[in-house]
């Protein structure tokens, strides 16, 4: 036999063995990825998903959770049933999820994805990395994968090799559930959005002037009365501790840590209205349904105030597997400066006494921060410098770049304008490590994009303000910085995906949708 016939037979034999059909030689369209991975090598050909494709995972039960997640992601869009099976070895024709103790350079959330015509192998050092890598697989599949009940015969992944690790360990978004209340299902949907873009922190703003949203068993009137309304006078609402646990668990199943915020000493009208004894004059104010800030303060000289805070932090800490409790501390214009500093120092101690570290908005950096406390920069660069001089790290949320409640432009109906407009390019085109003199990458824990809800009242409105900005913040957190021109070309593909996911997004004129 001459060599060319031999090799043709050989290819045929390999093809029969691995059932590689002509289909797998075809290229599939490369779907745009957000965040852009570090290293991507694209090759020709594809891995075809078929009825009978399985998801193999090695050893660890935690990875089984991710394998089930992948199966649940793929099953509804196909009429296949992606069986999840434990296996010590890599199987051709299937998905393989594996932890590798040798790959410590991938860190907690990095992953390697190797897709050939024969198989998919996703490797990570930690199980969170497997979960992040699954989101890459998800984005590499066509948007129709997000749809229910579509039989998808030509479902294919490109032949590709990806190695990817995040730059920052804190990549988050905030949701203000106080000014308007959003229920458990709405918060879960918000978590789904963060999940798709590999974010890992959800900061919940749980208490403000307009509403107290988390049940505190030792102070039940906080929610009974303080949770009974919202901006505009609606009925408000709150999470029972059981419901809150459900949110924490849903997030944790997606490797997302909830950061609970109880804002104090200002932004506390809902608490002050619920308990007269928390007021310096012993008189409870009315509930507040407007949008002013800076008028309320806990009574910093009363011992009862600190007993109250101790109870609240103890109960919230017990519901919080993550390391942080956010104490707000912003816009305390109704608190004397000296009182404010004493207050923050004392509350930092209370947070630490319950085994947690304190996060505060940038004003809190004026107090005696421990180096383990964290400052969230939103407005004041001087305060950010004070924080790092005390060894504290920063979460970068400059309002003029990251506030998803600000209008896109003058025509946006929802939203505020106090820190300017934030078009998609303006929100994306900055580098947290270059944002200000004196702050570099080492001082930064990560980035967070807040959504305040003075003007945002329902899920459609949340979606409209969050998309398309949030994926850009996710990319800045993952990659550090990016090229707007390249990024804007990746957005339209995601727009198609959002349509399939029934996400109501802003069709920015800066993007060719
Ligand atoms: C400022 S940012 C606030 C919030 C408002 C927001 C509206 C910060 C720490 N405080 O109370 O909701 O602006 O954009």
């Amino acid at each position: 036999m001459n060599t060319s016939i031999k090799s043709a037979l050989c290819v045929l034999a390999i093809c029969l063995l691995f059932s590689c059909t002509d289909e797998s030689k075809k290229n599939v369209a490369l779907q745009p990825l957000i965040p852009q991975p570090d290293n991507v090598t694209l090759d020709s050909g594809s891995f075809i998903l078929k009825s009978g494709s399985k998801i193999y995972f090695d050893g660890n039960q935690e990875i089984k959770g991710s394998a089930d997640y992948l199966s649940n992601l793929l099953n509804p869009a196909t009429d296949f049933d992606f069986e999840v099976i434990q296996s010590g070895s890599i199987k051709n024709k299937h998905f393989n999820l594996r932890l590798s103790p040798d790959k410590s350079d991938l860190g907690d959330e990095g992953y390697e994805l190797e897709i050939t015509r024969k198989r998919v192998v996703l490797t990570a050092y930690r199980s969170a990395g497997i979960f992040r890598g699954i989101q890459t697989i998800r984005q590499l599949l066509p948007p129709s994968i997000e749809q229910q009940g579509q039989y998808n015969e030509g479902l294919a992944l490109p032949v590709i090799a990806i190695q990817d690790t995040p730059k920052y360990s804190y990549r988050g978004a905030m949701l203000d559930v106080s000014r308007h209340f959003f229920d458990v299902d709405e918060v879960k949907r918000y978590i789904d959005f963060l999940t798709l873009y590999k974010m890992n922190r959800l900061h919940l703003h749980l208490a403000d002037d307009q509403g107290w949203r988390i049940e505190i068993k030792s102070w039940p009137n906080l929610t009974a009365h303080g949770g009974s309304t919202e901006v505009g006078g609606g009925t408000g609402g709150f999470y029972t501790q059981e419901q809150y646990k459900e949110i924490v668990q849903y997030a944790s199943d997606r490797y997302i840590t909830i950061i609970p915020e109880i804002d104090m000493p200002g932004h506390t009208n809902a608490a002050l209205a619920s308990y007269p004894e928390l007021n310096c004059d012993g008189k409870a104010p009315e509930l507040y349904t407007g949008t002013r800030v800076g008028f309320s303060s806990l009574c910093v000289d009363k011992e009862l105030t600190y007993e109250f805070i101790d109870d609240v932090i103890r109960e919230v800490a017990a519901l919080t597997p993550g390391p942080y409790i956010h104490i707000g501390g912003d816009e305390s214009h109704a608190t004397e400066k000296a009182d404010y500093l004493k207050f923050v120092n004392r509350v930092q101690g209370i947070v630490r006494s319950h085994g947690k570290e304190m996060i505060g908005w940038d004003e809190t950096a004026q107090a005696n921060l421990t180096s383990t406390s964290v400052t969230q920069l939103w407005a004041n660069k001087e305060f950010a410098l004070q924080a790092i001089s005390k060894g504290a790290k920063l979460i970068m949320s400059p309002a003029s770049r990251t506030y998803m409640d600000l209008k896109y432009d003058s025509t946006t109906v929802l939203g505020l304008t106090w820190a300017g407009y934030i078009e998609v390019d303006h929100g994306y085109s900055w580098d947290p490590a270059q944002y200000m003199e004196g702050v570099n990458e080492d001082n930064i824990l990560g980035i967070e994009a807040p959504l305040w809800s003075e003007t945002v009242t329902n899920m459609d409105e949340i979606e409209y303000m969050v998309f398309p900005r949030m994926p850009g913040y996710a990319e800045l957190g993952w990659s550090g910085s990016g090229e707007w021109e390249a990024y804007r070309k990746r957005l339209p593909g995601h727009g198609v995906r959002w349509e399939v996911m029934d996400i109501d997004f802003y069709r920015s004129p800066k993007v060719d949708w």
Side-chain angles (χ1 to χ4, degrees), residues 179 267 293 330-331 361 378 403 405-406 416 418 452 454:
R179 269 56 175 274
H267 291 279
V293 297
D330 58 312
E331 299 172 318
W361 294 109
W378 68 283
Y403 272 28
D405 61 307
L406 295 187
L416 305 177
W418 68 269
W452 300 97
E454 285 94 334

Side-chain angles (χ1 to χ4, degrees), residues 321-498:
Y324 295 115
I325 301 239
H326 201 307
I327 65 127
D330 58 312
E331 299 172 318
S332 293
H333 309 316
T335 320
E336 290 294 323
K337 168 117 189 247
D339 287 345
Y340 175 82
L341 297 179
K342 268 194 292 182
F343 177 89
V344 173
N345 290 338
R346 200 156 162 192
V347 173
Q348 176 176 251
I350 295 175
V351 170
R352 304 197 79 218
S353 77
H354 293 293
K356 301 295 175 188
E357 298 296 349
M358 179 181 88
I359 303 181
W361 294 109
D362 58 37
E363 293 94 322
T364 58
Q366 302 166 92
N368 297 327
L369 291 191
T370 68
S371 62
T372 49
S373 287
V374 173
T375 294
Q376 184 163 13
L377 169 65
W378 68 283
N380 192 313
K381 291 181 177 174
E382 271 311 305
F383 296 159
L385 291 175
Q386 287 187 35
I388 63 175
S389 75
K390 293 165 188 173
K393 292 241 196 295
L394 299 175
I395 296 168
M396 302 299 280
S397 303
S400 62
R401 294 282 187 177
T402 67
Y403 272 28
M404 298 189 289
D405 61 307
L406 295 187
K407 289 179 189 288
Y408 292 102
D409 65 18
S410 62
T411 67
T412 315
V413 175
L414 300 169
L416 305 177
T417 55
W418 68 269
Y421 298 123
I422 306 186
E423 245 304 350
V424 196
D425 54 345
H426 182 70
Y428 179 81
S429 305
W430 63 290
D431 177 342
Q434 309 271 318
Y435 177 72
M436 58 175 277
E437 195 78 25
V439 168
N440 60 47
E441 198 182 319
D442 296 336
N443 309 121
I444 298 175
L445 206 55
I447 156 170
E448 182 184 296
L451 181 69
W452 300 97
S453 64
E454 285 94 334
T455 66
V456 176
T457 68
N458 59 40
M459 199 68 218
D460 281 349
E461 294 175 355
I462 290 180
E463 291 168 5
Y464 188 80
M465 298 309 273
V466 165
F467 288 95
R469 287 184 283 207
M470 182 273 284
Y473 304 123
E475 177 152 302
L476 293 184
W478 189 275
S479 310
S481 64
E483 290 286 317
W484 164 249
E485 275 307 317
Y487 177 68
R488 75 185 273 277
K489 296 202 178 76
R490 278 181 282 133
L491 277 171
H494 285 257
V496 176
R497 194 170 292 263
W498 302 334

Side-chain angles (χ1 to χ4, degrees), residues 24 29 41 50 97 106 130 137 139 215 217 245 269 290 328 373 450 465 483 487:
S24 69
T41 314
K50 291 204 176 71
L97 312 182
L106 292 174
I130 295 289
I137 294 174
Q139 290 193 9
E215 177 191 22
K217 292 188 194 278
K245 281 184 203 162
N269 190 75
S373 287
M465 298 309 273
E483 290 286 317
Y487 177 68

